[in-house]
Amino acid sequence: MTCPARLNRLRTALQESGVDGLLVTGATNRRYLSGFTGSSGYLLIDSRGGQWLATDFRYWEQARLEAPNFELLRLATKPLATLAQHCREREWKSLGFEAAHCTYEFVERLKAEAFPPLQPTSGFVEGLRIQKDEVEIELIRESAALVDRVWEEVLTIIRPGLTERELALAIEFRLRSAGASGLSFPTIVASGPRGALAHAEPTERQLVAGEMVTVDMGAVWQGYCSDLTRTVAIGRAGKDCRQVWDIVREAQQAALQGMQPGMTCREADALARDVISKAGYGDLFGHGLGHGVGLDVHEEPRLGPGTDPDLVLQEGMVVTVEPGIYRPGWGGVRLEDLVVVREDGVEVLSNALKSFNL
Ligand code: ZN
Ligand code: ZN
């Protein structure tokens, strides 16, 4: 979907809700609508037509190059006063702001300026982003492929004696070397009993033969994130490890095979959760099955038992499928792949080797 097409869809939504103008402050929403990748700037969108990118000297040339569909507004010493004046000139009766992307303090500062009546809004741009177009899906596919390639290298460096931090650093160096502009999130490496911590930070703990290690990593590629988790045995791990790993694998497989457009996100979650519950580990799978991935590594939709019951999987949604079992004091297993929802099921974008043994 091109920039003008995104703006047209946004305008339709704004008109339906009766908001005259929208102030976009979310960084990835700003990029999605305008193409501008700079870290500072505001968008103003008129529901009847017209769109502006307001930024300062540091980003002026970049804004001109990256956002040709937007008129530029120069911000200097009093940026909010400049925005307010622009809104008044457009004679907007109301200005929507993104409640999820404004601090309380920022809203107080908006109120101190002569803006049209302010209206908190949520989900206008996220509602467009929830379904990816083919250009976005290709970028996410490339981002996933980059991580897959790095995982192949990681398999050759995992060995007893290496610390979690050393492994995380080696992974991050390889992700950047392979072309990632950044990391989707700080790499998670959790070995042995620390595998029970779903979002463990790497420590000085050394990898030990006979234990498992969970690695969760992601790259940013042309703005788009990837997200991959593998748990592997270091050397010969015990039968109990293998057993838990097989249950998680089976749970993930059930979701990958069963997910369909039209199914609710809760139903998708239940596909995997049922397998884990039947095996007796239901209480140890304490998070949702997955989350949307795009310009942000965690975005809509969320797949979980508590997700909005009306939220359904739709074609073009890109989500993770990441069941896990976490046994305190023992360790854990998580397997995570990225998928895109298609007409007849899901297409798996992650192709990293999935094997219990190294
Ligand atoms: Zn992950
Ligand atoms: Zn994830």
Side-chain angles (χ1 to χ4, degrees):
M1 201 168 24
T2 59
C3 174
R6 291 173 182 178
L7 287 167
N8 284 339
R9 288 185 58 198
L10 175 61
R11 271 193 251 281
T12 304
L14 292 175
Q15 285 162 9
E16 282 170 3
S17 72
V19 174
D20 286 349
L22 181 69
L23 174 66
V24 177
T25 48
T28 44
N29 285 346
R30 182 173 67 220
R31 177 174 182 154
Y32 179 79
L33 291 174
S34 71
F36 175 59
T37 64
S39 57
S40 178
Y42 306 95
L43 302 184
L44 283 168
I45 313 291
D46 190 321
S47 66
R48 299 157 300 184
Q51 58 275 345
W52 296 265
L53 165 56
T55 192
D56 62 65
F57 168 81
R58 296 169 297 167
Y59 298 99
W60 196 253
E61 188 58 13
Q62 182 182 348
R64 201 178 60 76
L65 293 169
E66 291 181 339
N69 293 292
F70 278 67
E71 277 184 56
L72 300 188
L73 263 181
R74 187 72 165 241
L75 300 180
T77 48
K78 292 186 174 164
L80 297 187
T82 306
L83 293 178
Q85 188 191 348
H86 182 81
C87 296
R88 288 199 303 276
E89 284 167 9
R90 301 294 298 177
E91 296 180 345
W92 292 338
K93 302 276 188 300
S94 61
L95 177 69
F97 65 90
E98 295 185 296
H101 307 292
C102 293
T103 61
Y104 182 82
E105 188 247 24
F106 180 76
V107 175
E108 290 295 303
R109 281 169 53 212
L110 289 180
K111 285 180 184 165
E113 300 289 342
F115 278 100
L118 293 162
Q119 195 174 315
T121 70
S122 72
F124 274 124
V125 188
E126 287 83 350
L128 305 179
R129 286 172 51 183
I130 197 166
Q131 280 174 286
K132 275 66 181 173
D133 57 52
E134 287 304 320
V135 173
E136 294 185 284
I137 291 168
E138 279 316 301
L139 291 173
I140 298 169
R141 187 194 302 282
E142 288 168 12
S143 187
L146 190 156
V147 172
D148 290 346
R149 288 196 298 277
V150 169
W151 177 247
E152 253 180 68
E153 294 177 36
V154 174
L155 287 173
T156 68
I157 56 176
I158 291 178
R159 58 173 168 76
L162 200 65
T163 70
E164 292 174 348
R165 265 174 50 79
E166 285 167 341
L167 181 56
L169 194 60
I171 290 167
E172 294 177 357
F173 180 80
R174 280 167 175 77
L175 288 170
R176 294 298 300 264
S177 302
S181 63
L183 306 170
S184 299
F185 52 87
T187 305
I188 292 168
V189 176
S191 66
R194 289 182 49 77
L197 310 169
H199 275 185
E201 250 187 58
T203 66
E204 297 299 334
R205 188 180 193 280
Q206 293 183 342
L207 305 190
V208 177
E211 292 183 346
M212 293 186 290
V213 61
T214 296
V215 174
D216 191 347
M217 60 185 188
V220 181
W221 170 256
Q222 297 192 33
Y224 282 84
C225 296
S226 47
D227 193 0
L228 176 85
T229 306
R230 291 290 183 263
T231 299
V232 291
I234 307 158
R236 279 175 172 271
K239 257 190 187 161
D240 53 339
C241 294
R242 177 80 214 203
Q243 198 187 5
V244 171
W245 194 93
D246 282 341
I247 294 163
V248 173
R249 176 79 178 92
E250 195 192 322
Q252 193 198 34
Q253 204 53 32
L256 295 175
Q257 284 170 356
M259 285 166 69
Q260 291 282 340
M263 163 183 282
T264 69
C265 291
R266 280 188 183 200
E267 287 166 340
D269 173 88
L271 291 169
R273 195 166 300 279
D274 287 350
V275 173
I276 291 176
S277 296
K278 281 196 186 108
Y281 293 105
D283 292 343
L284 303 182
F285 175 23
H287 58 73
L289 179 65
H291 52 87
V293 173
L295 290 169
D296 289 311
V297 71
H298 293 119
E299 53 181 54
E300 294 302 318
R302 311 279 164 163
L303 276 51
T307 307
D308 172 3
D310 297 328
L311 190 61
V312 296
L313 292 178
Q314 293 165 283
E315 279 180 59
M317 283 180 171
V318 174
V319 296
T320 65
V321 178
E322 50 177 312
I325 293 176
Y326 311 90
R327 272 168 71 179
W330 178 82
V333 174
R334 178 166 70 254
L335 296 171
E336 175 180 34
D337 286 325
L338 258 183
V339 306
V340 53
V341 180
R342 297 296 196 186
E343 195 184 346
D344 53 355
V346 297
E347 179 196 350
V348 182
L349 301 176
S350 306
N351 292 301
L353 185 70
K354 200 181 297 168
S355 152
F356 175 69
N357 292 301
L358 275 177

